[in-house]
Amino acid sequence: MSSGVKKGVIAAIIAVAALTGLILGANMGYRAKFGKFYSASENVFTIPDTGSGFIAQDVMTETYLQRHIVTGYMKNGSETPVYLIKPESGEVDRKVFIRLEDNSIYKGQAGGVAASNGLVYVADPDNMRLLVLDRTLLELTSDGKSVPCMGVVDLK
């Protein structure tokens, strides 16, 4: 091996070691900064289906339904689930899907979720809109079925 190649290999090893040190240092700094928060936090439930490609985006507690609502998207672009979680056990009560006004099932990034006055709003950041669900229909929708979107609030 020529001396130029040896120097290149040594430089690459040093660069990898330095990058690893930076990543570990940043992680330790993050833990030091937020360690008290995490040590005082409580694991209420496990985000469902993360091993199946579900990427959670938001969680809220809907007091009327007495359920946590988890929104997100599927990594592979398939139909987007909305999970209703039982707060007392942390178990999934139901996984439902949003049926759009054209009868297709929503396949986007269900971002933030909020509820007010009998309605549940799910953010669709890709299309700059809110999907509006009726809380009673959400409550009545069976596991694996779709809840109709009652309307859309355009945010453009």
Side-chain angles (χ1 to χ4, degrees):
M1 187 181 306
S2 72
S3 66
V5 172
K6 286 180 186 178
K7 286 180 183 177
V9 169
I10 291 170
I13 291 170
I14 291 170
V16 169
L19 183 59
T20 302
L22 284 173
I23 292 170
L24 291 174
N27 191 24
M28 287 173 37
Y30 180 83
R31 290 185 184 277
K33 186 173 184 177
F34 297 105
K36 288 182 182 178
F37 170 78
Y38 286 113
S39 65
S41 68
E42 181 181 334
N43 184 5
V44 178
F45 63 91
T46 301
I47 301 294
D49 288 343
T50 56
S52 300
F54 178 68
I55 310 297
Q57 295 294 291
D58 198 11
V59 177
M60 72 154 297
T61 300
E62 212 297 329
T63 52
Y64 176 82
L65 295 176
Q66 297 180 353
R67 295 289 181 265
H68 301 300
I69 300 175
V70 181
T71 57
Y73 63 95
M74 294 303 294
K75 193 175 181 179
N76 66 4
S78 62
E79 297 175 339
T80 303
V82 175
Y83 295 93
L84 287 88
I85 311 289
K86 298 176 189 176
E88 62 278 0
S89 66
E91 295 176 0
V92 174
D93 177 43
R94 284 171 280 150
K95 174 171 78 171
V96 300
F97 301 91
I98 300 172
R99 185 170 13 99
L100 300 172
E101 292 172 315
D102 66 359
N103 277 330
S104 66
I105 301 298
Y106 179 64
K107 294 181 180 180
Q109 176 184 338
V113 59
S116 179
N117 297 321
L119 300 174
V120 176
Y121 300 91
V122 177
D124 176 9
D126 295 332
N127 296 298
M128 293 291 297
R129 63 184 181 173
L130 295 175
L131 305 175
V132 183
L133 310 177
D134 181 277
R135 181 178 64 200
T136 302
L137 292 177
L138 182 59
E139 180 180 25
L140 296 173
T141 301
S142 302
D143 183 45
K145 301 296 181 184
S146 62
V147 60
C149 179
M150 302 306 294
V152 171
V153 177
D154 190 355
L155 301 174
K156 293 178 190 170

